Amino acid sequence: MKDAILFINSRKRGDLMDTMEKETFKTFSNKVLTGTASGIVIGLIPDAILNGIFEALTPYRSIFSSLSAVVGTMQFLTAAMIGVLVANQFKLNAIQSVIVGAATFLGSGAYSVSEAGITLIGIGDLVNIMLTAGFAVYLTRKLNDRLGSMTLILLPIIVGVGAGTVGLLMLPYVSSATSMIGHILNSFTILQPLLMTILIAIAFSILIISPVSTVAIAIAIGISGLGAGAAAIGVTACTAVLVIGSKEVNQKGTTLAILLGAMKMMMPNLVRHPKLLIPVILNAILSSMSVYVFNIQGAPQTAGFGIAGLVGPIQALETGTGLLPVFITELSSVKAHGFNRGMRA
C-alpha cells in the first residue's frame, strides 16, 4: 500500500514537471497577466464605483463615512489579491496560493516602514507586483512536493518571505523605470498646447491597458491643467473603444466592469492582439482635440481615472469647465465605434 502511494505521488510530481517543461514564456506571461487583470478589477472597482457616492452622502449619515473608509481600504489589498489569482491560474492549491499572495504583497511597494510603524501608501508598483507574483509561482512549482511534511513550515518562509524579499529588492529599480516613463510624459507639457494634448492623450490611452498605473504616473509627474484634462480624455477614449468592442463578444458583466474602470483587465487581449492599439490611438487623437477646443482642465489626483467613477468629469467641472463642453468631450468617444468595427473585420 505504501509503495502504491509513493508511486502515485511520484507520478503526480512527474506530471507537474512535464507541465512545467511545456510552459513557455508566452503562456507563463499570459497567465500572470490574466491573474493580474482579475485582481485589479476585484481590488479597485468597489472604490472606483462607490467611494465618490459614499463621500457625497457622508454629511447626511455617518455610516457612509465608514463605508467610504472600507472601500478605500480594500484597494490596499490589491497586490495580495493579484498574487492569489495569479497562483490560481497555475492551478496551485489554496495554501500555495495564499503564500504567493503574501509574497506579492510584501514585494509590491504598497506600504512603507518607518520608526512609527507600517503605513499603507497605495496599491504598489503594478510592474513589480507582476514580477514578484511570477517569481513566487515559479519558486512554488519548483519546490512542489520536495518539502514533504515540512511544507507548511518551510513554504511560507522560502516563498512568502524569500520571494517577497526579492520583490522588495527589485522595487527601487522597477520604480525607477516607471518614473522614467513619467519623465518622458512630463516633457510633453512643455510643447505647443494642441500637440501636448494629443501626445498625452495617446500616452495615457495606451498606459491604461498596460501594467503601468496611470494614476501613479499622473501623481508622480504632477500633471495638471490642460495636460491632466488630456490624460483623463485619453483614458476615456480607450474605455470607449474597449466597451464598444467588448459588448460584441463578452458578457454584459465584463463590459460593465470595463465601463466602471477595469480597463486593465484587457491587458492579456492587448498582448495577444496588438492591433487593438490602432482604434485606441485614433480615438485618443480625435478626442484630445476637444480638450484643446473646450479647455478641459484636470488635476494630478484625477488625471489617471478618466470616466471611472465620474472622477474626470467632476474634476473638469470643479476647475471651471462648463457642463456642456464636458458632455461633448466625453461624448466624442463614440467615434470609436467605426474604428472598432473596422478592426474586427
Side-chain angles (χ1 to χ4, degrees), residues 241 244-246 248-249 275 336-337 339-345:
V241 173
I244 294 171
S246 176
E248 303 289 339
V249 294
K275 66 180 181 180
H337 195 181
F339 301 145
N340 221 34
R341 182 177 294 169
M343 184 184 69
R344 288 194 302 272

Side-chain angles (χ1 to χ4, degrees), residues 46 77 86 91 113 121 164 170 173 175 177 198 217 223 343:
L77 303 174
V86 168
K91 310 299 181 185
V113 181
I121 55 176
M170 291 191 300
Y173 303 101
S175 296
I198 292 174
I217 286 291
I223 193 169
M343 184 184 69

Side-chain angles (χ1 to χ4, degrees), residues 111-152:
Y111 61 93
S112 64
V113 181
S114 63
E115 294 182 358
I118 300 174
T119 305
L120 296 173
I121 55 176
I123 69 170
D125 188 297
L126 198 55
V127 177
N128 206 61
I129 286 172
M130 294 169 60
L131 291 174
T132 306
F135 177 67
V137 166
Y138 176 80
L139 193 57
T140 301
R141 297 175 74 188
K142 280 292 186 183
L143 293 171
N144 183 63
D145 290 339
R146 294 180 181 178
L147 302 178
S149 60
M150 298 294 288
T151 296
L152 201 60

